[in-house]
Amino acid sequence: LYIKRKSTNQINKFDSFNIIQKLFIGTTTNPTLGSINVKLAFYRYSILMTILFNSLVINESLKNAVNINLYFVAGLQIIYALDKLVFEYNLLTSFYLQKERDGYWNIMQQFLQPIINFLPIQILLSNNLPVNYIIISISSIIFLFGFICQRYSDFTKYQHEVNSISVYRPSTARIIVDGFWSYVRYPNYLGTMIVHLALILPVIEPNLSSLQASWPVLLYPLYYIVTLSHKCVRISTLSCLQYGNTWDRQYTVKWNLIPKIF
């Protein structure tokens, strides 16, 4: 993609970057190979692989003893992935599709996500954990809250953009000030983090021996917490550069993800 972009002589504004930076960060927002949008292709690949891996695991586990924890985690991952496919049009107003450049880092994230998502499944396959229906119930409630937070926030953002309901400031910045957006600046990312945190609860038992065997599952939500927190900072920085201090001053909330903390 970098070579293709260079051949079109459209990378002048990236001339201050060295070749490693250009390859890693990317030099174009929506690259295409023929009629294929590369970003959408990798996005769909990540989702479809997550669905495929979990479906195969469920299908294979049906031949063995019932594993409620496995069905629960794999089933919710499939539901969450299917939701992304059904509401893919929400990407039209996303930072990912509109402003994020498609470099090595972005492509590797899409390749890694199905593997990261498989971590709790791998732990459940390796350890025969007893079913705790109280933990599963708590996990379900937390998952549902995160799912609603993420889905409703994305829907609100999409509607604001499409129907021009956004609040226009003198700086021409379009800022959403209702719903979950009135509490934090990026409730859609917060919802995503909560969803993945909820899915590790059935995998971890509150005892030392279990934690020693299942601690790698913590990398699963940690991946989303780190990458999405970093994305929040990047979006805020870009918005301040684009709209100036007015964007930050006139925002109704000052916190990215957690009130009074971050």
Side-chain angles (χ1 to χ4, degrees), residues 74-212:
L76 288 185
Q77 281 204 2
I78 291 173
I79 291 172
Y80 191 65
L82 286 172
D83 173 78
K84 287 186 176 182
L85 284 180
V86 172
F87 293 96
E88 185 182 77
Y89 61 86
N90 286 167
L91 282 177
L92 293 173
T93 58
S94 68
F95 174 79
Y96 172 74
L97 196 64
Q98 296 297 328
K99 294 184 178 181
E100 192 163 37
R101 295 192 293 272
D102 207 31
Y104 179 78
W105 166 245
N106 193 28
I107 292 173
M108 284 305 299
Q109 275 190 294
Q110 298 302 328
F111 269 112
L112 285 173
Q113 277 183 13
I115 301 172
I116 296 293
N117 292 340
F118 197 71
L119 269 175
I121 304 299
Q122 183 61 48
I123 299 297
L124 289 171
L125 289 172
S126 304
N127 300 278
N128 187 19
L129 300 177
V131 180
N132 188 325
Y133 289 102
I134 295 177
I135 295 297
I136 286 182
S137 299
I138 294 173
S139 178
S140 300
I141 294 171
I142 296 174
F143 176 89
L144 183 61
F145 173 76
F147 179 76
I148 292 173
C149 180
Q150 182 263 319
R151 172 53 46 226
Y152 182 72
S153 298
D154 278 342
F155 175 77
T156 303
K157 182 180 179 181
Y158 178 79
Q159 290 298 316
H160 271 69
E161 292 290 336
V162 172
N163 300 325
S164 300
I165 304 177
S166 302
V167 178
Y168 284 83
R169 307 297 187 183
S171 61
T172 72
R174 289 173 291 179
I175 301 172
I176 306 172
V177 295
D178 55 355
F180 289 112
W181 298 86
S182 63
Y183 298 99
V184 292
R185 293 186 177 185
Y186 306 100
N188 49 343
Y189 296 156
L190 176 61
T192 300
M193 294 178 189
I194 293 173
V195 162
H196 296 295
L197 281 169
L199 292 180
I200 70 168
L201 294 183
V203 184
I204 298 178
E205 287 188 290
N207 59 71
L208 184 60
S209 60
S210 175
L211 289 175
Q212 288 176 338

Side-chain angles (χ1 to χ4, degrees), residues 54-70:
N54 284 283
S55 299
L56 290 175
V57 166
I58 291 177
N59 182 64
E60 187 64 27
S61 66
L62 291 174
K63 303 174 184 177
N64 305 314
V66 175
N67 190 333
I68 300 298
N69 289 324
L70 183 64

